[in-house]
Amino acid sequence: MSHARLPQPSRRGILAAGGALGLTALLAACGDEKKDGSSKESGADSGPWSFKDDRGTTAKSESTPKNIVAFTGVAAALFDYGIEVKGVFGPTKTKDGKADVQAGDMDVSKVTVLGNEWGKFNIEKYAGLAPDLLVSTMFDDAGTLWSVPEDSKDKILKLAPSVGISVYDRQMTQPLQRLLALAESLGADVKADKVVKAKKRFEAAAERLRKVAKANKDIKVLVGSASQDIFYVSGTNLSADLEYFKSLGVNFVEPSESAKKASGGWFENLSWENVNKHAADIIMMDNRTATLQPAGLGKDKPTWAKLPAVKAGQVIPRVTEPIYSYDKCAPILEDLADAIEKAKKVS
């Protein structure tokens, strides 16, 4: 989601705020294993392929897709399982040409970028890739594919089968499982040592966060996102990461339902004059490049600098749009556990 869309009080702007388990990938055929044994090549010359997504739609192809196009964060997750895409859409490169935080470990110089910000999608470039699969996440219950423009979606979706992975109103573990299943259907070796170790690390991190949260119940965590005119306070409902952290016992600041109403239930809008409305010991701040970052807020927003958590140096990043691989989600849990364990009560 771009900075320009943050103020929009709609589900399209949800991430400023910050069943599926029963759906299974049908692996009709696998490609050859890579030499390091970590994964299988996507697009192997094989028999029919299909995958039932979180819309209840089954994407089908005569063979395992090889010309894959995906939202940047989804492409980064697939990359962690050894599946490389041909094209991406969504924040991919920063102004200096480096990889955006949502690009993970992908070499962004080797993918075709169809649009470098939310909602930008070059249909001509997309068609030129001869795509046989498009993949994105979904942040509503209507099956809307994230960052696929509403006004051109019909043209886009006619060109190739599509898969939607829901990250809406469910816990982080569900999209993690679904993207792993998708990667497996595309040829990934999900029993590779790297994958197994990453999953074990995630599970250990979750257990540690649970213990730390229980031992520090009085530490209040506020989840925020900053634009020039508005400070957004996220509620924990609907967001897969926050719902999961809450289930592990993290004590979050919760805006009232009436305050969240204007944004479809995602977040509360505060003016910078009222940024101190909620008492908090830790502030998790949206880390996306389209949002204002804490390092630059102290000078321009004096009310920010006066917040107790800011004074105490207890501000940490929130990975607002996680890369849903175990390798990338484990550190998120570890960092939050560290912050809670070290935090002083300042609220």
Side-chain angles (χ1 to χ4, degrees):
M1 175 186 67
S2 70
H3 179 195
R5 293 180 295 102
L6 286 174
Q8 296 177 2
S10 69
R11 288 179 176 178
R12 308 292 290 185
I14 55 177
L15 281 181
L21 289 177
L23 302 177
T24 57
L26 301 178
L27 181 56
C30 297
D32 296 330
E33 290 188 2
K34 289 184 177 180
K35 291 181 180 179
D36 63 5
S38 62
S39 66
K40 299 174 183 178
E41 294 288 345
S42 67
D45 189 9
S46 59
W49 171 91
S50 66
F51 186 87
K52 191 174 183 181
D53 75 359
D54 293 343
R55 298 170 296 182
T57 300
T58 299
K60 298 179 181 180
S61 179
E62 292 182 358
S63 61
T64 306
K66 59 182 180 179
N67 292 342
I68 304 168
V69 173
F71 178 72
T72 304
V74 173
L78 292 174
F79 182 86
D80 285 349
Y81 296 124
I83 304 300
E84 298 186 23
V85 306
K86 293 294 181 67
V88 295
F89 54 99
T92 306
K93 298 179 181 178
T94 58
K95 292 180 181 179
D96 58 5
K98 295 181 179 178
D100 186 272
V101 292
Q102 295 187 58
D105 294 332
M106 284 193 302
D107 184 343
V108 296
S109 69
K110 293 183 178 180
V111 294
T112 299
V113 181
L114 306 179
N116 198 37
E117 60 183 276
W118 189 93
K120 298 295 184 181
F121 197 112
N122 188 311
I123 301 177
E124 289 73 24
K125 280 187 178 181
Y126 179 56
L129 293 174
D132 45 24
L133 181 65
L134 181 145
V135 190
S136 191
T137 46
M138 300 183 299
F139 290 91
D140 60 26
D141 55 8
T144 305
L145 295 178
W146 189 239
S147 200
V148 174
E150 194 70 21
D151 59 357
S152 55
K153 67 177 182 179
D154 291 342
K155 292 181 180 179
I156 293 168
L157 297 180
K158 284 180 180 178
L159 295 175
S162 62
V163 165
I165 301 296
S166 180
V167 295
Y168 173 73
D169 196 19
R170 63 200 59 212
Q171 295 182 16
M172 174 182 274
T173 48
Q174 291 176 276
L176 276 169
Q177 292 165 353
R178 295 293 286 140
L179 269 166
L180 182 65
L182 176 62
E184 182 179 21
S185 81
L186 294 170
D189 180 3
V190 300
K191 294 182 180 179
D193 189 56
K194 177 183 176 182
V195 177
V196 172
K197 285 182 177 179
K199 190 171 187 292
K200 287 182 177 179
R201 180 184 174 186
F202 176 86
E203 291 167 348
E207 185 56 31
R208 178 170 175 249
L209 180 56
R210 186 192 304 277
K211 292 179 179 178
V212 169
K214 184 177 181 179
N216 297 273
K217 292 181 179 179
D218 60 334
I219 298 297
K220 295 181 180 179
V221 181
L222 182 146
V223 181
S225 184
S227 70
Q228 190 61 42
D229 299 318
I230 299 173
F231 183 79
Y232 304 88
V233 178
S234 298
T236 57
N237 292 335
L238 307 183
S239 297
D241 61 332
L242 303 185
E243 284 200 14
Y244 186 52
F245 304 155
K246 182 172 65 174
S247 77
L248 296 174
V250 176
N251 181 10
F252 285 104
V253 170
E254 294 282 4
S256 67
E257 291 304 314
S258 59
K260 295 187 294 181
K261 188 175 182 180
S263 67
W266 291 92
F267 53 87
E268 175 182 9
N269 297 353
L270 294 178
S271 66
W272 283 102
E273 290 74 18
N274 295 315
V275 73
N276 63 348
K277 177 179 176 180
H278 300 288
D281 303 296
I282 295 173
I283 300 177
M284 295 179 71
M285 287 292 288
D286 189 341
N287 76 329
R288 292 171 300 167
T289 52
T291 64
L292 300 183
Q293 296 303 303
L297 289 176
K299 181 179 179 180
D300 298 331
K301 308 295 182 185
T303 52
W304 164 262
K306 295 178 182 179
L307 294 175
V310 176
K311 287 183 177 181
Q314 294 175 178
V315 178
I316 63 173
R318 177 201 178 191
V319 182
T320 308
E321 292 187 54
I323 294 169
Y324 283 100
S325 72
Y326 290 102
D327 181 71
K328 294 299 182 291
C329 286
I332 297 174
L333 273 64
E334 293 167 347
D335 291 345
L336 180 54
D338 286 344
I340 294 173
E341 194 169 52
K342 296 174 183 177
K344 297 177 180 178
K345 184 68 179 175
V346 295
S347 62

